[in-house]
Amino acid sequence: MDPLILGLVGFACALLLLVLRVPIAFSLAGVSSVFIFLFFAMRHGGFDIASAVAPTLSMVSSNTFDLVHSYDLSMIPLFVLLGHIAYHTGITTDIYHAARVWLKRLPGGVAMASVFGCGGFSAITGSSIACASAMGKICVPEMLRMGYDKRLATSTVAVGGTLGSLIPPSVLFIVYGIFTEMSVSRLFLAGVLPGLLSLVGFLVVIYLWVKRHPEAAPVDDSLLAKGDRRKAAIRCWPALLLFTIIIGGIYGGLFTATEAAAISAFSVVLIGTVQKRLNWQQFVLSIKETCTQTTSIFFIAAGAKIFVGFVALTGMAPALVELVESADVSLWLLLVMIAGIYFLLGMFLDPLGIMVLTLPFLIPMVEGYGLDLIWFGVVVIKLLEISLITPPVGLNVFVIASVIKPSVAVYDIFMGVARFLIMDILVLIAIIAFPILSLLLPNAMM
């Protein structure tokens, strides 16, 4: 069988399994291993099983070995540990409480505070899903109690959680950097300005929503005690310190992203202990959660690495590049096509699955057009960010719907999210049209 045909059949099988909700790691690793075996068994025209076993095992094991021994991969458990400890010690939620105190008198102030809180939470934890789950239990019931429109209350937390995909530390950026061999430090810096732009865009949506429908967000007229604003701001210093260590340290050239992960993880343990907000039970629970989440990510990355080897073996990526070049597709049309693919896959798959499935094909095409892979990484992560709130799957939306009491229909959450989706698309267009938004900080670091 022609290797390209074999590759296309294998890709279709992997995509089908992912749509059927078979775990990503098993889908990619299983399909890739089977079709790599078939490739070697049929390479001489017959079907020689004996000659296929050794090269298949060698290729699968070498790809997995190379991944596990990647230096950059070591930062994932460190950043995941940072996030879990910051959550259990309340450091992540302090940002929300401070923003609520400072913004409570503004129309839609609590909703804006929720976006700030979700942005800070997801930035420290690096997990949009964890943010939607944790902050959904805190912010949404409070806004509903105050009389906020249920669509506004739920959608602000759903979209706020997506900010962690762009604002570092982001697990998606780490995985992208490993598979494209790009500097994770530069990717982290590249995501800062687009992440802040997304944050401002969400605040603008809330402002316009409340200005047009004042009844959607009643103003909190309760009086604050003297010094409440100052106390709330002071309680945020651990979160600000951690963010400064990561971004300031990398930007200032003091240490690499991996070193920043280690220092920030040690710092959050030290802060939690000194402030007596971290006990032994919380620490052990954080370690367990870190092991579980890290193992899942590593299995997915290993499956994706085997899949990359399978794609290279069958020549699918070069064939796709040749097809695009022969069609003389313009750069803007190519980017529109890529966006369309991500929007479509986002309706069925989770962000990490989408990325590891598409990167082996997209990166050769992007390199063929001479595009900057750091900038393209920001575009990809923004597309994945949008996929978290895209119907009919929208993982953040379903997480919000599952954790809040009283319950709100998924339909209502999606209707609220629709306004923010428009802003997300505008921000995406700005990122594509003005690469300087992504490249300013990384280029200044050089």
Side-chain angles (χ1 to χ4, degrees), residues 223-276:
L223 297 177
L224 292 171
K226 185 178 180 180
D228 278 356
R229 286 190 173 90
R230 177 177 54 82
K231 292 177 183 178
I234 290 175
R235 282 183 64 85
C236 287
W237 74 263
L240 296 176
L241 175 62
L242 294 172
F243 187 75
T244 302
I245 288 174
I246 297 169
I247 299 303
I250 293 174
Y251 184 77
L254 299 178
F255 33 72
T256 65
T258 306
E259 292 166 345
I263 293 172
S264 58
F266 173 78
S267 298
V268 75
V269 173
L270 183 62
I271 291 170
T273 303
V274 171
Q275 291 189 328
K276 297 182 178 180

Side-chain angles (χ1 to χ4, degrees), residues 272-292:
T273 303
V274 171
Q275 291 189 328
K276 297 182 178 180
R277 302 168 75 174
L278 178 66
N279 56 41
W280 179 249
Q281 290 76 19
Q282 291 172 326
F283 180 74
V284 172
L285 178 60
S286 298
I287 294 293
K288 290 180 179 178
E289 292 171 337
T290 299
C291 291
T292 301

Side-chain angles (χ1 to χ4, degrees), residues 16 62 73-74 133 170 192 204 259 322 357 384-385 388 428 444:
L16 177 61
S62 63
L73 201 66
S74 63
S133 176
S170 166
V192 173
V204 170
E259 292 166 345
E322 184 179 346
L357 185 67
L384 294 173
E385 186 179 276
L388 285 167
L428 174 64

Side-chain angles (χ1 to χ4, degrees), residues 315-337:
M316 284 190 289
L320 182 60
V321 172
E322 184 179 346
L323 178 64
V324 173
E325 289 178 348
S326 62
D328 196 22
V329 176
S330 67
L331 174 58
W332 276 98
L333 181 57
L334 174 67
L335 293 173
V336 170
M337 291 168 59

Side-chain angles (χ1 to χ4, degrees), residues 133-196:
S133 176
M135 297 301 286
K137 299 174 185 177
I138 298 171
C139 305
V140 177
E142 182 64 15
M143 283 189 279
L144 294 177
R145 183 191 64 80
M146 294 175 59
Y148 269 62
D149 181 275
K150 58 186 177 182
R151 294 182 178 180
L152 175 60
T154 53
S155 61
T156 51
V157 179
V159 301
T162 66
L163 294 170
S165 301
L166 276 176
I167 301 176
S170 166
V171 171
L172 291 177
F173 268 136
I174 296 173
V175 175
Y176 177 89
I178 291 172
F179 279 90
T180 59
E181 299 181 352
M182 291 287 105
S183 166
V184 176
S185 297
R186 298 192 70 212
L187 286 167
F188 277 178
L189 293 177
V192 173
L193 293 182
L196 294 177

Side-chain angles (χ1 to χ4, degrees), residues 59-133:
M59 187 170 180
V60 170
S61 61
S62 63
N63 276 285
T64 307
F65 181 87
D66 292 342
L67 174 77
V68 173
H69 285 74
S70 169
Y71 177 70
D72 288 338
L73 201 66
S74 63
M75 75 180 76
I76 291 181
L78 293 170
F79 278 132
V80 172
L81 177 64
L82 163 67
H84 285 298
I85 292 180
Y87 168 65
H88 287 299
T89 55
I91 291 174
T92 51
T93 53
D94 284 341
I95 301 172
Y96 163 69
H97 292 301
R100 182 181 170 185
V101 169
W102 280 87
L103 301 174
K104 64 177 297 182
R105 295 296 181 87
L106 293 177
V110 180
M112 293 181 181
S114 298
V115 172
F116 272 110
C118 290
F121 185 107
S122 55
I124 293 175
T125 63
S127 172
S128 297
I129 304 300
C131 175
S133 176

Side-chain angles (χ1 to χ4, degrees), residues 24-26 28-29 63-64 66-68 70 73 76 171 174-176 178-179 293-309 352-353 355-356:
I24 303 170
F26 297 120
L28 296 183
N63 276 285
T64 307
D66 292 342
L67 174 77
V68 173
S70 169
L73 201 66
I76 291 181
V171 171
I174 296 173
V175 175
Y176 177 89
I178 291 172
F179 279 90
Q293 187 175 348
T294 301
T295 301
S296 175
I297 294 172
F298 278 23
F299 268 116
I300 293 172
K305 197 69 175 178
I306 298 171
F307 180 74
V308 170
L352 188 55
M355 187 166 68
V356 298

